[in-house]
Amino acid sequence: MTYVNDSSQEQKWVRTKVVAGDHVIIPKIELEDANADAFLESYVSDLTTIPLDTSKPLWEVHLLDLKTSDAQNVVVLKIHHSVGDGMSLMSLVHACTRKTSNHEELPSLPNENRLSSKSMAGYSRLIWMVMLVWNTLCDALKFIATTMFLKDTDTPIKGDFRLSKSKRMCLVHRTVDLEDIKLIKNAMKMTVNDVLLGVAQAALSEYLERRYGEKEKKAGEHESKRNSSNMLKEIRLRACLLDLANMMAKGSKCKWGNWIGYMLFPLSLALHDDPLEHLRRVKSIIQRKKNSLEALLTFTSTKILIKMLGVVVSLMIHNSSLF
């Protein structure tokens, strides 16, 4: 399928013949003494400045004969969001993998560890319901405030999507050992996603402290650290979380496509002597988010707005305080 304008200048999908050769790109690479990892990051960053050809299906596969510190060769997929949302693409990657213990089985996804109301006594169930309503109400008010005026703090990591599409984005990646993540997960009694979110929070704290802490270098070491910690606490930075396990569960009634319900996760930026404190804070927030209907609320409200206003909603969200 490809996206075109008809005689009335309205955009619509039309069936087209896919020529694989038009989508597979094999660049000629001459590194000489250049760093392969740096070249890869620069190559992917440059791709963000080149729009996809709208005369053919909106996807490309770049095959790089490039040996990096992590792989013998590299494949880069460039896919327009209209071809498939993040859930669909993640499920495709999931379907292409197998368990190391059994090459015939798909990797298992963690089950949602919500507290079942059937297992609770009457008093505990009442408390659980009260907390569910309270958390949902608080999250709803924060969501409304975010769409209207409660913006994230302007920082070097906050992108401006209103800039020209030709602006080059810098993409950086790191590879971590999954066994190390599992070791922390088991010790802290968390999920892999919780650990990764905690690590990201710690990394962002260190990065922003370095970027904003330059002015404090002239002060004493103890005073500088205290001022940096206070500065980080004043930064409002949030992430959007989606639930892949529910979408991919067998027999799930969740819809695929651009039916998105998400949660706004407030990142707690701070400098801690104990790095595990980041994980504890993430775990605490995630547990509270699980006892909330925020994802259902955001999905329902977006669905209603789309029915009422159509594609204008995307422009509203694009220009709202969410970005």
Side-chain angles (χ1 to χ4, degrees):
M1 302 290 287
T2 188
Y3 212 41
V4 300
N5 292 328
D6 59 14
S7 57
S8 61
Q9 295 301 311
E10 292 185 1
Q11 293 183 324
K12 64 178 183 179
W13 289 103
V14 297
R15 189 174 297 276
T16 186
K17 182 179 180 180
V18 177
V19 180
D22 293 341
H23 299 270
V24 179
I25 301 174
I26 307 177
K28 185 178 179 180
I29 300 175
E30 296 180 356
L31 277 183
E32 296 181 356
D33 296 331
N35 183 281
D37 293 335
F39 174 85
L40 175 61
E41 292 177 352
S42 177
Y43 182 88
V44 176
S45 297
D46 289 339
L47 286 181
T48 64
T49 66
I50 305 173
L52 288 165
D53 186 355
T54 57
S55 65
K56 59 185 180 182
L58 304 176
W59 59 273
E60 294 176 353
V61 178
H62 296 252
L63 304 179
L64 279 63
D65 185 12
L66 180 69
K67 183 178 180 181
T68 67
S69 58
D70 301 316
Q72 293 294 322
N73 300 98
V74 178
V75 177
V76 179
L77 303 179
K78 185 178 181 181
I79 305 174
H80 195 277
H81 178 67
S82 61
V83 175
D85 59 88
M87 289 296 181
S88 299
L89 298 178
M90 290 172 67
S91 67
L92 175 62
V93 174
H94 179 263
C96 295
T97 59
R98 294 294 183 271
K99 289 183 176 180
T100 55
S101 58
N102 187 341
H103 294 175
E104 299 299 324
E105 293 185 9
L106 292 173
S108 57
L109 292 170
N111 293 322
E112 191 174 12
N113 193 24
R114 287 183 184 269
L115 186 60
S116 173
S117 59
K118 295 181 180 180
S119 63
M120 294 186 293
Y123 181 72
S124 298
R125 186 182 305 175
L126 176 61
I127 295 178
W128 178 79
M129 289 297 297
V130 170
M131 293 305 300
L132 177 67
V133 173
W134 175 254
N135 291 338
T136 302
L137 178 61
C138 292
D139 291 336
L141 293 176
K142 290 179 181 178
F143 174 75
I144 294 173
T146 297
T147 58
M148 297 180 65
F149 61 87
L150 193 63
K151 299 177 64 175
D152 280 2
T153 306
D154 289 329
T155 64
I157 62 175
K158 182 183 178 182
D160 188 348
F161 295 94
R162 290 176 288 276
L163 293 176
S164 171
K165 293 183 179 180
S166 62
K167 184 176 177 61
R168 187 176 185 269
M169 298 174 61
C170 182
L171 303 179
V172 181
H173 76 283
R174 289 293 181 268
T175 301
V176 296
D177 193 332
L178 185 57
E179 294 302 320
D180 293 339
I181 299 297
K182 288 182 177 180
L183 178 64
I184 300 174
K185 172 187 78 76
N186 295 331
M188 299 291 294
K189 296 181 180 180
M190 307 169 67
T191 66
V192 170
N193 286 340
D194 293 346
V195 175
L196 294 177
L197 191 56
V199 171
Q201 178 177 281
L204 289 173
S205 298
E206 292 287 343
Y207 172 75
L208 291 176
E209 189 275 333
R210 288 200 304 268
R211 290 294 299 266
Y212 290 127
E214 297 295 331
K215 297 180 179 180
E216 307 297 336
K217 283 187 175 181
K218 296 181 180 180
E221 181 178 353
H222 177 72
E223 184 69 20
S224 176
K225 185 174 182 180
R226 186 177 64 180
N227 292 339
S228 297
S229 299
N230 293 334
M231 177 272 300
L232 290 176
K233 291 179 181 179
E234 297 175 356
I235 295 178
R236 182 186 299 111
L237 186 64
R238 290 164 293 182
C240 289
L241 304 183
L242 302 175
D243 191 350
L244 177 63
N246 277 348
M247 296 288 290
M248 298 182 62
K250 186 176 181 180
S252 172
K253 296 182 180 179
C254 296
K255 291 180 177 290
W256 290 91
N258 292 324
W259 301 75
I260 301 175
Y262 57 89
M263 298 180 294
L264 293 178
F265 183 89
L267 293 168
S268 179
L269 301 179
L271 298 177
H272 299 294
D273 294 330
D274 181 6
L276 295 180
E277 184 62 28
H278 286 286
L279 303 183
R280 298 187 187 100
R281 294 198 177 193
V282 165
K283 183 179 179 180
S284 175
I285 298 175
I286 286 294
Q287 290 299 324
R288 196 198 74 81
K289 289 288 185 179
K290 287 181 178 179
N291 192 21
S292 170
L293 300 178
E294 181 181 2
L296 178 62
L297 175 70
T298 57
F299 164 74
T300 304
S301 60
T302 303
K303 182 180 178 181
I304 293 174
L305 287 174
I306 290 177
K307 284 187 176 181
M308 294 174 59
L309 303 175
V311 295
V312 177
V313 174
S314 64
L315 297 177
M316 292 172 57
I317 296 177
H318 191 276
N319 294 314
S320 72
S321 300
L322 284 169
F323 297 98

